[in-house]
Amino acid sequence: MKTHTISLLCAVSLLAACAAPATLTTSNEQQDACNAAELKGQFGEAELACVQALRSAEQAGASADILSQRQYNLGRIKRLQGKNAEAEQLYRQALATEEAAQPRSDARVGRRMVELASALAAQGKWQEGTDYLERVLPLLPK
């Protein structure tokens, strides 16, 4: 009986280990589909693929830099569609994820702040957007 339980636990562990890379591979394929649709100007299709890419990356337990990039990419698509409030939330998530990442990339943090400022400005939140642009200034030389 114990041998059967141990074998079952080993099988479950192996399946779990195999599932994560497959999900991350799926996320990469979905991100590629998002990029291709964006290039064609098919933003609805791009949005769906980017949402799937983000969800797959989350399920796979992807690294902070991948999650941040997926959040940022989806935010960009939302902004292109004029969905600035949704883009703002995604940029905020991407910024928080990127700021917590180790090692932290000042260039990526800066890009997320600029995009967030743009989404805020599009909603008439000029002062809040300006605050993010001021935070970017020290990062510019880097």
Side-chain angles (χ1 to χ4, degrees), residues 108-141:
R108 289 168 59 120
V109 167
R111 277 193 295 275
R112 280 139 184 78
M113 284 185 194
V114 169
E115 291 289 350
L116 177 54
S118 176
L120 290 165
Q123 297 173 78
K125 300 176 183 178
W126 296 100
Q127 185 56 54
E128 192 175 354
T130 301
D131 293 344
Y132 281 100
L133 291 177
E134 288 174 357
R135 286 181 55 195
V136 171
L137 292 176
L139 301 178
L140 289 177

Side-chain angles (χ1 to χ4, degrees), residues 3 11 15 24 34-35 46 70 77 95 100 104 113-114 121 127:
T3 305
L15 285 173
L24 193 51
C34 173
N35 294 338
R70 298 290 192 266
I77 296 300
L95 177 59
R104 175 185 149 149
M113 284 185 194
V114 169
Q127 185 56 54

Side-chain angles (χ1 to χ4, degrees), residues 40-52:
K40 294 177 192 172
Q42 299 169 336
F43 300 125
E45 185 179 320
E47 178 183 8
L48 290 174
C50 277
V51 166
Q52 292 170 339

Side-chain angles (χ1 to χ4, degrees), residues 53-87:
L54 175 57
R55 298 299 168 246
S56 294
E58 290 170 341
Q59 290 171 355
S63 63
D65 62 325
I66 291 174
L67 289 175
S68 173
Q69 192 62 47
R70 298 290 192 266
Q71 293 160 340
Y72 175 81
N73 291 342
L74 179 55
R76 225 181 54 252
I77 296 300
K78 296 280 191 177
R79 191 173 53 78
L80 289 169
Q81 292 175 304
K83 298 177 181 179
N84 292 299
E86 292 176 47

